[in-house]
Amino acid sequence: MLASRLAPGGRPRGVTALLATVTLLAAACGGSTATTAPAASSAATTAPTTAPTTAASTGVESPATSTAPSPAGYTGPPVTIKYSIWGDPQEITNQKAIADAFHAANPAITVDVDVSDWEAYWTKLQTGLAGGAAPDVFAMDGPLFPDYHARDVLLDLKPYVDKDAYDLTQLADQGVKDFTTSDGGQYGLPRDLNTIALYYNKKMFDAAGIAYPDDTWDWAKLVATAKQLTKTDGGKTTQWGFYTETTDMENYWSELVWQNGGDIMAPDNKTTVLDTDQAAGGIQFLQDLIWKDKVMPDPAVSAETGDAFEQGQAAMAANGSWQVATFDAAGFPYGVAPLPSGPAGRFTSVNPTGAVVYKASKAPDAAWEFVKYLASPPAQEQLMTLKASIPVNKEVLAGPYSSSWEGAKVFADSLTYAKLKPSFKGYDEFTTTLQNELDTNVFNAANKTAKEALASVVPQLNQILAGQ
């Protein structure tokens, strides 16, 4: 999951939206890898609905190429595969560098990288799937994976894993699990992860003479400190003690549910368990920060001013690892600490992004080689330079990443107490219905208590799940 996107709940993952798709042909040299794939001049500006002449779109590949796994790396003819992701301009250069490095190590495979903003990405992907011209490899958001798996458009990579004796334990367990099916299929490899932590403005803490947050903090300490750091002038708040986004469970309210002993889904994902006192209590805590404790701007204020922490208007923020580069650019000193513990302990969420292979790809062997490379140390080290996500490769996670910047180890260590963001069929409809209720009656205005709001919406949620 890279930096710039709008998540299913509507949450911004950065400030840049690409209004057009940028296609990069990642070929390092010419004649030695000549194929029937398009020349660079024809691939440079592919329109959203025009598929390039690649293995995925033409169905043309040498008869020698098989859909069975290769015994030792790619041994087929030269081929171009298409790799589609969501992202922002900074990621274009980064992903091109990864594709170039892969091509240098695998000269027979050229990777055509297609980058779109979040909304355009999914629209284009669905158009491609409907027309039988989807990219060979494409990024998959963990929570949306079950719906795409149910459409039977993803290639099971388990035969490749077995044939190559590929060690899945080299990757973060949560990431692997998110793309593993109940029957033992492996329909993708994780590419990166994101978790939530507590950011704090060092300048504001220093000015108030308050010690920085650490792993001893709990909910009470968060509220007490946020109150100390909230400032008003003439009845107007000039500095907020705390900020988070309320439009998606990932940013904070799912963590609060878990920290209060509740959960979101039953173990079989067939019903929701949000109608418990524990779950309601977690969401009530967030409502209280806005409307009772008044240490956090309500969403109407945030809609006008943007991210209060990024703007230097809030002392603390619960937010994701994708925000690091954004906060670096904000120009003030900040730190990162674990989320405060709740009555049931400390939890954060982890949301993997995976790389999956189109089931109808005509270059599955080449696609598999590239998917493997995306999770390899060289690619992971290149990816981490964006400061937009957490590496999924354990070697890189424990080594280069953890020491790469001041707060990196907090994010790396958070995986030990992270729960997977829920992932199930019907996710989009479920979360839209749920979030509409919470936004309207809990966060945007305190029309209902969290318990009342959840009691009214849970029957609708279970009806959605029953229809899957």
Side-chain angles (χ1 to χ4, degrees):
M1 165 189 333
L2 297 181
S4 178
R5 65 177 247 179
L6 288 176
R11 162 184 96 266
R13 283 285 179 95
V15 297
T16 305
L18 300 184
L19 299 180
T21 299
V22 181
T23 303
L24 300 169
L25 185 60
C29 45
S32 64
T33 57
T35 72
T36 56
S41 60
S42 65
T45 54
T46 306
T49 57
T50 303
T53 310
T54 64
S57 61
T58 65
V60 176
E61 187 174 354
S62 168
T65 301
S66 167
T67 57
S70 304
Y74 182 71
T75 59
V79 67
T80 293
I81 61 172
K82 185 175 180 180
Y83 171 46
S84 292
I85 60 172
W86 62 82
D88 62 22
Q90 289 83 359
E91 289 154 31
I92 296 173
T93 301
N94 187 276
Q95 291 295 306
K96 183 180 186 299
I98 291 173
D100 282 344
F102 172 77
H103 177 74
N106 301 268
I109 307 173
T110 298
V111 181
D112 184 11
V113 184
D114 188 60
V115 184
S116 305
D117 72 9
W118 173 262
E119 296 290 349
Y121 173 80
W122 296 103
T123 299
K124 287 178 58 179
L125 179 60
Q126 293 183 47
T127 298
L129 290 170
D136 301 276
V137 179
F138 52 95
M140 178 54 60
D141 191 41
L144 300 180
F145 163 71
D147 279 321
Y148 279 83
H149 170 254
R151 298 180 193 182
D152 196 28
V153 295
L154 306 179
L155 182 66
D156 185 1
L157 301 179
K158 186 63 161 57
Y160 287 91
V161 171
D162 293 343
K163 186 74 172 179
D164 288 359
Y166 183 80
D167 183 11
L168 290 170
T169 66
Q170 68 184 292
L171 309 179
D173 300 338
Q174 299 104 320
V176 173
K177 180 181 178 182
D178 225 18
F179 302 98
T180 305
T181 56
S182 58
D183 60 359
Q186 190 68 46
Y187 286 84
L189 293 186
R191 188 195 63 188
D192 59 74
L193 309 165
N194 275 293
T195 64
I196 309 298
L198 183 69
Y199 292 87
Y200 57 91
N201 185 312
K202 291 183 176 181
K203 185 176 180 180
M204 291 181 181
F205 271 78
D206 291 343
I210 299 173
Y212 298 153
D214 59 27
D215 62 5
T216 67
W217 274 38
D218 58 13
W219 285 8
K221 181 70 171 178
L222 175 67
V223 173
T225 306
K227 287 181 177 179
Q228 286 180 276
L229 289 165
T230 298
K231 296 181 179 181
T232 60
D233 183 8
K236 180 180 180 181
T237 301
T238 57
Q239 177 178 298
W240 298 97
F242 181 77
Y243 171 78
T244 193
E245 296 172 26
T246 58
T247 55
D248 186 274
M249 71 173 74
E250 182 176 358
N251 282 67
Y252 200 32
W253 73 249
S254 63
E255 288 84 350
L256 295 173
V257 166
W258 294 325
Q259 290 175 13
N260 203 45
D263 211 336
I264 297 164
M265 303 298 294
D268 61 4
N269 283 334
K270 292 183 178 179
T271 57
T272 181
V273 291
L274 279 169
D275 55 348
T276 64
D277 289 342
Q278 293 85 352
I283 296 175
Q284 187 63 49
F285 179 78
L286 183 54
Q287 185 192 59
D288 288 348
L289 289 176
I290 303 170
W291 298 106
K292 177 185 173 184
D293 302 316
K294 300 186 184 301
V295 298
M296 172 181 161
D298 68 73
V301 173
S302 299
E304 293 182 4
T305 62
D307 185 317
F309 186 80
E310 180 186 351
Q311 302 298 325
Q313 298 172 356
M316 295 179 284
N319 218 323
S321 44
W322 60 85
Q323 288 287 70
V324 172
T326 299
F327 294 157
D328 281 352
F332 58 83
Y334 70 90
V336 182
L339 288 177
S341 296
R346 176 179 288 110
F347 296 97
T348 188
S349 68
V350 57
N351 187 0
T353 292
V356 299
V357 176
Y358 180 36
K359 188 175 183 179
S361 169
K362 301 305 179 182
D365 291 1
W368 163 243
E369 290 302 317
F370 184 61
V371 167
K372 281 194 300 182
Y373 185 79
L374 288 171
S376 70
Q380 292 279 291
E381 289 193 42
Q382 178 66 38
L383 190 68
M384 81 179 197
T385 63
L386 285 171
K387 289 188 174 180
S389 56
I390 302 170
V392 73
N393 185 284
K394 291 178 181 177
E395 176 186 332
V396 177
L397 183 65
Y401 175 76
S402 290
S403 59
S404 62
W405 60 281
E406 180 184 342
K409 195 172 187 304
V410 173
F411 282 114
D413 290 348
S414 71
L415 293 175
T416 63
Y417 53 86
K419 287 178 175 280
L420 273 170
K421 185 177 182 180
S423 174
F424 51 87
K425 286 179 63 179
Y427 175 89
D428 242 354
E429 184 180 2
F430 177 100
T431 54
T432 298
T433 302
L434 170 59
Q435 199 62 51
N436 283 343
E437 174 65 26
L438 294 179
D439 288 343
T440 302
N441 293 311
V442 176
F443 301 136
N444 294 2
N447 296 324
K448 300 178 183 177
T449 65
K451 187 179 177 78
E452 291 168 343
L454 291 170
S456 67
V457 76
V458 160
Q460 299 175 58
L461 302 178
N462 282 331
Q463 187 174 12
I464 292 169
L465 294 170
Q468 301 306 310

